[in-house]
Amino acid sequence: MIEFELKVMVPALGPIRDRLVILKATADGVRHEHDIYYNSPVRDFGTTDEALRVRYAEDGAMVTYKGAKLAGQKLKAREELNMRVASGETCESIFERLGFTKTAEVDKRRELYTYKEASIALDEVQRLGTYIEIEIMAEKEGGDAVARIDAIQQELGIVGDPITSSYLELLMAQQ
Amino acid sequence: MIEFELKVMVPALGPIRDRLVILKATADGVRHEHDIYYNSPVRDFGTTDEALRVRYAEDGAMVTYKGAKLAGQKLKAREELNMRVASGETCESIFERLGFTKTAEVDKRRELYTYKEASIALDEVQRLGTYIEIEIMAEKEGGDAVARIDAIQQELGIVGDPITSSYLELLMAQQ
């Protein structure tokens, strides 16, 4: 599956939250996500634009691999593989034994909504600020994913430039 | 955790099964296990004596990393990390994206028993024959794990030389 994503830095989450309520978006709850990112012993994921992550949240641990961003897309689009694991700690140990190294940790509070089959996240990211992400998972070509994300952005009244950097990249750029 | 394991090739499983019944071992059921082994892009696991595996069985998928066999042990002893995953197929895809390559697949029918806190497996391994494995998971030093395994071997009337090769290695040696 390919993840199509719009991310915009916003001055405050309150007005967007109000719009989501008015539009009757489904509220999917609030989570605290603690993400641990790894680099490969074979190639630098910072250069190849890949990501390997163990995420801890209230509902358990999840491993995610993200491929390089696909060229020629207006928004960020990349392959994403997600897998729930019974133990994030064991997964960390396995990655370490396999030669992967921890590069960064990202903490955020995330409010989740579903609206018109898109996943919307209102994020407060430690050391980075407040962001909205609108995400659609689609088959290879993506179809009208970009147009649908555009339309939702309009409905929510979000202005600002799309950010194609991940939170990981934004944090690394600060260092 | 360290896995201490005795493995012996046996001419037939029936007599051992009968002994287990007489000794009132707990029968933990029969499984079909389909194992996929991976090699690392960094180092040859055949040389370093490590193993990375995705196992499919009736109760789901499990990822296992096994470290090199520990020196100075009478039986096979090695670090073992096990983690249940929600999707073995997704895990296979993630390993492939990370540069790991499939080396072999092992299929077996496994009868499981618990006896005196040891895990006992009666295995019919495709292309390899019938084997018994007696396994105890222990902390670093292992304590009396080897002596306990020895005692169980006696009680079960098992003769034959311990095999320290894994099924993977036995299969690779056939090729």
Side-chain angles (χ1 to χ4, degrees):
Chain A
M1 298 293 279
I2 307 293
E3 170 200 54
F4 288 82
E5 177 194 290
L6 171 75
K7 173 155 61 189
V8 180
M9 193 178 190
V10 293
L13 299 177
I16 305 171
R17 193 182 293 125
D18 295 344
R19 280 296 291 162
L20 286 164
V21 172
I22 290 166
L23 293 169
K24 295 194 168 59
T26 307
D28 298 321
V30 179
R31 303 148 51 91
H32 290 85
E33 295 181 345
H34 177 68
D35 294 344
I36 299 174
Y37 286 90
Y38 286 87
N39 205 352
S40 162
V42 186
R43 52 188 189 264
D44 179 15
F45 283 173
T47 305
T48 61
D49 193 26
E50 298 166 89
L52 178 65
R53 178 181 74 197
V54 177
R55 167 170 289 173
Y56 293 89
E58 285 82 350
D59 58 352
M62 168 100 91
V63 171
T64 296
Y65 165 84
K66 297 193 182 199
K69 295 180 194 86
L70 301 177
Q73 298 286 345
K74 188 185 160 200
L75 300 181
K76 193 164 80 168
R78 62 200 315 199
E79 184 189 29
E80 179 172 321
L81 297 169
N82 289 303
M83 169 179 73
R84 292 211 160 272
V85 296
S87 162
E89 290 80 4
T90 302
C91 192
E92 287 187 51
S93 297
I94 291 175
F95 284 157
E96 283 160 29
R97 298 298 186 281
L98 296 175
F100 292 80
T101 47
K102 282 188 195 184
T103 48
E105 308 200 13
V106 178
D107 275 290
K108 63 175 168 299
R109 177 186 183 279
R110 168 165 272 185
E111 277 178 64
L112 286 163
Y113 297 87
T114 306
Y115 183 61
K116 293 185 174 173
E117 293 170 44
S119 299
I120 297 172
L122 305 188
D123 290 344
E124 288 180 41
V125 189
Q126 204 172 52
R127 302 195 300 279
L128 285 181
T130 47
Y131 296 80
I132 178 171
E133 284 190 355
I134 306 173
E135 183 181 308
I136 289 178
M137 294 290 281
E139 297 296 330
K140 293 266 176 236
E141 292 306 315
D144 57 353
V146 171
R148 287 161 57 204
I149 289 174
D150 269 353
I152 293 170
Q153 181 185 4
Q154 302 277 332
E155 285 192 83
L156 293 176
I158 294 160
V159 290
D161 292 327
I163 297 168
T164 55
S165 298
S166 65
Y167 293 134
L168 172 63
E169 288 165 327
L170 295 172
L171 272 174
M172 301 298 265
Q174 277 191 348
Q175 287 170 354
Chain B
M1 297 294 279
I2 307 293
E3 170 200 54
F4 289 82
E5 177 194 290
L6 171 75
K7 173 156 61 189
V8 180
M9 193 178 190
V10 292
L13 299 177
I16 304 171
R17 191 182 294 125
D18 295 344
R19 281 297 291 163
L20 287 164
V21 171
I22 290 166
L23 293 169
K24 297 194 166 60
T26 307
D28 299 320
V30 179
R31 305 148 50 91
H32 289 85
E33 295 181 346
H34 177 68
D35 294 345
I36 300 175
Y37 286 89
Y38 286 87
N39 205 351
S40 161
V42 185
R43 52 187 188 267
D44 178 15
F45 283 173
T47 306
T48 62
D49 194 27
E50 297 166 88
L52 179 65
R53 178 182 75 197
V54 178
R55 167 169 291 173
Y56 293 89
E58 286 82 350
D59 57 351
M62 169 100 90
V63 172
T64 296
Y65 165 84
K66 296 192 183 200
K69 295 179 195 84
L70 301 177
Q73 298 287 343
K74 189 186 160 199
L75 300 182
K76 193 163 80 168
R78 60 201 314 199
E79 184 188 29
E80 180 172 319
L81 296 169
N82 290 303
M83 170 179 73
R84 292 212 159 271
V85 296
S87 162
E89 290 80 4
T90 302
C91 192
E92 286 188 51
S93 297
I94 291 176
F95 284 156
E96 283 160 28
R97 299 297 186 282
L98 296 175
F100 292 81
T101 48
K102 282 189 195 183
T103 48
E105 309 199 14
V106 178
D107 275 289
K108 63 173 167 297
R109 178 187 183 277
R110 168 163 273 185
E111 277 177 64
L112 285 164
Y113 297 86
T114 305
Y115 182 62
K116 294 186 174 172
E117 294 170 44
S119 299
I120 297 172
L122 304 189
D123 291 343
E124 288 179 40
V125 189
Q126 204 172 54
R127 301 196 300 280
L128 284 181
T130 47
Y131 297 80
I132 177 170
E133 284 190 356
I134 306 173
E135 183 181 308
I136 289 177
M137 295 291 281
E139 298 295 331
K140 293 266 177 234
E141 292 306 316
D144 58 352
V146 171
R148 288 161 56 205
I149 290 174
D150 269 354
I152 293 170
Q153 181 186 5
Q154 302 278 331
E155 285 192 83
L156 294 176
I158 294 159
V159 290
D161 293 327
I163 297 168
T164 54
S165 299
S166 65
Y167 292 134
L168 172 62
E169 288 165 327
L170 295 173
L171 272 175
M172 301 298 265
Q174 278 191 347
Q175 287 171 354

